[in-house]
């Protein structure tokens, strides 16, 4: 977005939270966040391998995240179509 601002290109950032406040996460995602803020998939994989009893909840979490992302994509598609009118 900094590059967009320098070029005077309008942009927007959308942050989405995919879990509820009362939901226990299947893994400690905070331990897998790198210095740039991106999730380190290898660190998550190591954490998952060390905790196989969490795999069923991890799968459920992944399915829920996929559904949430599909809904978000639908909303964004409708939003950008409305902007084009």
């Amino acid at each position: 977005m900094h590059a967009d601002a320098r070029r005077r290109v309008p942009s927007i950032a959308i942050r989405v939270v995919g879990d509820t406040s009362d939901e226990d996460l299947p893994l400690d995602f905070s331990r897998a966040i790198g210095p740039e803020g991106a999730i380190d998939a290898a660190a998550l994989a190591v954490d998952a391998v060390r905790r196989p009893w969490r795999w069923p909840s991890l799968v459920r979490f992944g399915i829920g995240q996929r559904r949430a992302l599909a809904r978000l994509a639908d909303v964004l598609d409708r939003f950008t179509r409305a902007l084009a009118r």
Side-chain angles (χ1 to χ4, degrees), residues 38-58:
I39 292 179
D40 181 350
L44 277 181
V46 167
D47 195 25
V49 167
R50 289 182 178 162
R51 294 171 178 80
W53 61 91
R54 303 297 314 239
W55 293 355
S57 62
L58 184 59

Side-chain angles (χ1 to χ4, degrees), residues 11-51:
S11 61
I12 186 170
I14 299 171
R15 183 174 183 174
V16 177
V17 177
D19 61 307
T20 63
S21 61
D22 62 337
E23 183 179 0
D24 289 331
L25 296 177
L27 299 175
D28 185 359
F29 288 89
S30 65
R31 293 188 347 196
I33 297 175
E36 297 292 319
I39 292 179
D40 181 350
L44 277 181
V46 167
D47 195 25
V49 167
R50 289 182 178 162
R51 294 171 178 80

